Amino acid sequence: MDKYTQLVSRGLGKDIAKKLGLPQPVVLRRHEPGQPLVQGPVLIQGSTAGADELASTLLAWNLDIRRHAVPKEKLGAIILVLDELAHPDDLEKPVLAAAASLRDLAPNARVITVSRTAASASTPEIAAARQGVDGLLRSLAKELRAGATGNGILLADGADTTSPSTLGALRFFLSGRSAYVDGQLLAVTSGAGQLPDDPEKPLAGKVAVVTGAARGIGAAIARTLYRDGAALVLVDVPAAGDHLAAVANEVRGTALQLDISRADAGQRIIDHAVERHGRLDLVIHNAGITRDKLLANMDAGRWNSVTAVNIAAQLRINEVLLASEHFRSAPRIVSVASTSGIAGNRGQTNYAASKGGVMGMVRATAPLIGAHGGSINAVAPGFIETEMTARMPFVTREAARRLNSLQQGGQPEDVAEAIAFLASDAAGGISGEVLRVCGQQLVGA
Amino acid sequence: MSIQGQSAPGPKESSPSPSAGQNAAGQNAAGQNAAGQAAAAFPQLRKAVVVGGNRIPFARTGGAYTKSSNQDMLTAALDGLIARFGLQDERIGEVAAGAVLKHSRDFNLTREAVLGSALSAETPAYDLQQACATGLETVLGLANKIRLGQIDSAIAGGVDSASDAPIAVSEGLREVLLDLNRAKTLPQRLQALSRLRPKDLAPDAPNTGEPRTGLSMGEHQALTTAQWKITREAQDELACNSHRNLAAAYDAGFFDDLLTPYRGLRKDANLRPDTSLEKLATLKPVFGKNLGSEATMTAGNSTPLTDGASTVLLASEEWADAHDLPKLATVVDGEAAAVDFVHGKDGLLMAPAFAVPRLLARNGLTLEDIDFFEIHEAFAGTVLSTLAAWEDEEFGRTRLGLDGAFGIIDRSKLNVNGSSLAAGHPFAATGGRIVATLAKMLHARGQVDGRPARGLISICAAGGQGVVAILEAH
Amino acid sequence: MTASQPVILGEMPSLSKLYVNAAATAARRRVLGTHTGTELPECSHEVRGVQADVANLTAYQHLIGETASDVLPAGFIHALAFPLAMSVMNRDDFPLPLLGMIHLSNKVVQSAPVRFTEALDIRTRVENLRGHRAGTQLDVVAEVREAGDGAIRWLGVSSYLAKGVFLPGIDKPSAPSVPAAFTAPDPTALWQLGVDTGRAYAAVSGDFNPIHLSVLTAKALGMRRSIAHGMYLASRALADVGAAKGDAFSWDVSFEAPVFLPARVALDISTAQDGDGAWQRSDYAAWSPHSGRKHFSGSVAAL
């Protein structure tokens, strides 16, 4: 948590910030093992069969479920089920019913819409209604305060309100794991996936490779996957070996000093994982570099090194992975993209091109890995508090930090949580998607 | 017997003395052992394998590790090894390491490093010291315990800091302080203190000289270098090759899984990839300047004082398999020798010239059966004097008890990934560096002419000692 | 040898008193011009039941590089007998001035080890007064036995030169001995001798001869700097020969150029073995690595 957020979160600082109309970021609720999934009752709005089925499923999770609002009761979450929209007119009733409860949301509450993907709509009316949810949700998320977030689940053909990955995504969005995910719509692309036996150890028995694991977001991913039960192979360049060893010893993993842009990197990763851990289930492509320069001043060295590490290496490693006998049991790949690759960023043409490339790769790889029963997704972080962003000039950093719905930067752990979710079997029905972890960045897409 | 998870096969019958034939006739014993005796001598022993190694880059004294203690560096090397092989919380059979320059507070150096590492705190450890042979001797000692079934896994290692070397108080101050401690009454204390003289307050700087001769190691080697008529050019060429080979190994990523950076250092600080014979030829001699012959030993063809640490993971085959760990090489056999350098009978660093012939004879091997030679480059002159002795007819006859010269080695098999002249030589850490490097090379080579690739390690040490060993690809 | 009965002293004489007395005698002779004659006293001096002080022994052993074993180093026994030898040379009937005498050479036959627990009878005498090209020389003989008239365990013969003293009736050698040209071999050892080397040896040997103690005291006796004790140098060389020499051996040393302190001294020890590899003898020579001048040489040989 940054110092400003600490200052305005309590006491005198809080009063002053309020009077001056300064941004008032709150301390976000983040996941701690053993913590309840959501703090307070969950109101499920919507009268479809899907809503009813969902309500009964969530009851089985021992959640405090409301099908009708109780006046003045503080709510932990509102789930707005909109899975049978036929016309934009159908939005009014459930949406306004939910609206009446918005003032009763507790701090760090959740609003989650469950609707269907517009692309699969059979008529213009249905498509309009479904696409309308998109605009509705993004706007609503910007109105929420006090750490509350709004996110949507989009059901593609073949998925319904109680599909494993619908429930998996719902769990993720309800929980503190999604603290910095706001204003996002995540598509459940199939009915595949499986909920974990132990929700605290969703990655138990899995062997995961994390590249760029020596520090920052990579180290946070390693810690989160370890917490979730995975055995870890941590990869980073030999020059970062000392930090890598420290992280490996912390998460009881093995360190593999390897430059992922080497031609044999994919095979060495597979060999190491299989030889030391007997299998390979998850690959997290986190390693990435920046070599910022305005395009007018760009040179081949800067351009090529970014391309080589950020996207070419991933393409080459994935090709080896997809061809390997050892990557066949519910294999999952999660790549780290960037909001720069979506919205663009001045001085980062090379970086944004590589990260845009990651998203393209993910989309196109989804059917390939799907053939082996696996999935591939990307996470696009926004402003994350790391050693790298700590070196940004103060004004730039403050602007980047505050210009999002949560008025603060994210933590490496927030990115790691999203990755851990997408790497889990609960997200097996989600593939080819990009999930942003950006606190709903206000500029750009 | 093993007290770890799996029970290890113990010796089934009493073993013939492993030292049989080693010392029966002192240094004249080479060649007198029946070929292949070793294989028959210990049929019941299991194999000890090298799983892998880890070291920190070697720093020049006063460089990156100036403020790091031996314990700091050994812990860093251990933690890198643990991370590489996933040994967190593992109870290793035994860890042995040592340092040549050692503070009195570090009496339990290795155990303290283990306690500070990610290993299980229930891992026992001991310190060992055999000067520059410390690292290799820990490997041999622990490998023997594994072969006997006493332990299933082990970590061997060594560390040295010439930057953080101990400085002793003067003998006078030390005696006064000890007497003061023993004194029971005030008058006794005052009496002890009254013996203190101003000069007693000056510390005793560490001395690298041999205690019995007062000559530094370099001065000793200068005598040997002159005795064997080793030229300046030959020494510079060896040094140049060491730098080139080490630089090429780094470029090829050879050290990616042998080394973990420390304190911002990612490569051995002494490495000069761009060195050349021309540059080396400009250096002024530093040793042997008062001898009758021309002085040939420079800072370029001698190892500088260095800081660093290394570790090697050893295991039984069963333990390595059960832990899904690689088996790079087998520790086949080792031999120690010593020479009477005090009165100049042999050069201080010439003991390996005797140890290698004895070791090869015991194993029924000749120099031609070796695929990789790892001869520690204390000085270029040390390596070249050893080779010259082996090539010398008279030395072979009169000192080794052979019919003629011991043999010539193929230089293309010598220190192919560089050695101490380029990497540096933190005394006790050199053995671990070489064992891990050779094990990886042997594993990569695999089979040669239908038998496992074979490597020879030779390390000379202060006190006229030498320890040598044979490793084979697993 | 001499037929006369030894003079038995009740205890080991004090060296410092002997030095004072020697200085007084020298002054008296200078003033009065008295002369005691041209013959050596025939009587010997003896002290019985001498025992080494173990703390002093340990300090001595450590200083010269011997392990602190229970056996007295041959040089230590020399130091033990030295005050008694001095007492003979300090007799009124001794013909030469004691102060300023130069130690030319020393021979020791150690026929059996002596342990610090043993009581010893020590007897000293002077003999063999003869000419030298630079003055007059003589031998001081010391015998060390196990107390109670046992066999001689240690026999030492020290040759001293009274430089510039020529006694009537004693001829100079006809041909002055020319020292053989010395070419320094490669050293097997290098000693770094600090300026306090003389004081340190004085502390363990009891020989507080001023020429060894400091620049000032040495200058008072005409030396440009203090010099190392000859027996310190020889004892270190003996220690460097090592354990191979065993318990019974002969040991000799000839002193040439003095070692002015501080100094670096280069040493070569070459060892001869018999056909079975058993040690036979070690020859040693020490020189200045700076000037190449020989300081001393000698040998240790099996008996």
Side-chain angles (χ1 to χ4, degrees), chain C residues 155-219:
Chain C
L155 173 71
V157 180
S158 305
S159 299
Y160 288 95
L161 167 69
K163 202 172 178 180
V165 178
F166 297 95
L167 297 180
I170 293 177
D171 295 334
K172 280 199 268 185
S174 50
S177 58
V178 180
F182 175 71
T183 311
D186 285 342
T188 57
L190 191 67
W191 296 344
Q192 312 271 359
L193 305 184
V195 72
D196 61 346
T197 301
R199 285 193 292 281
Y201 189 72
V204 298
S205 68
D207 182 1
F208 286 97
N209 190 331
I211 59 171
H212 301 306
L213 298 186
S214 69
V215 177
L216 283 179
T217 52
K219 273 187 174 157

Side-chain angles (χ1 to χ4, degrees), chain A residues 359-378:
Chain A
M359 291 181 275
M361 172 195 76
V362 161
R363 202 174 304 122
T365 308
L368 304 178
I369 197 168
H372 302 310
S375 64
I376 178 168
N377 293 287

Side-chain angles (χ1 to χ4, degrees), chain A residues 27-32 34-43 62-66 73-78 104-110 146-148 171 173-177 179:
Chain A
V27 179
L28 301 181
R29 170 171 67 99
R30 291 191 166 88
H31 176 72
E32 299 283 346
Q35 191 188 54
L37 185 61
V38 57
Q39 288 171 322
V42 177
L43 173 66
N62 288 328
L63 291 178
D64 193 1
I65 299 297
R66 303 277 182 277
E73 186 187 47
K74 286 289 177 192
L75 292 172
I78 300 171
D104 294 328
L105 284 177
N108 283 305
R110 300 284 187 261
R171 256 196 110 82
F173 284 136
L174 285 172
S175 74
R177 295 175 193 260

Side-chain angles (χ1 to χ4, degrees), chain B residues 212-215 223 290-291 342-345, chain C residues 186-190 240-241 264 269 271 273:
Chain B
R212 283 183 189 276
T213 63
L215 291 171
L223 295 171
N290 290 328
L291 301 180
V342 179
H343 304 154
K345 184 177 175 189
Chain C
D186 285 342
T188 57
L190 191 67
D240 279 3
V241 165
R264 275 157 49 94
I269 300 181
T271 295
Q273 293 169 337

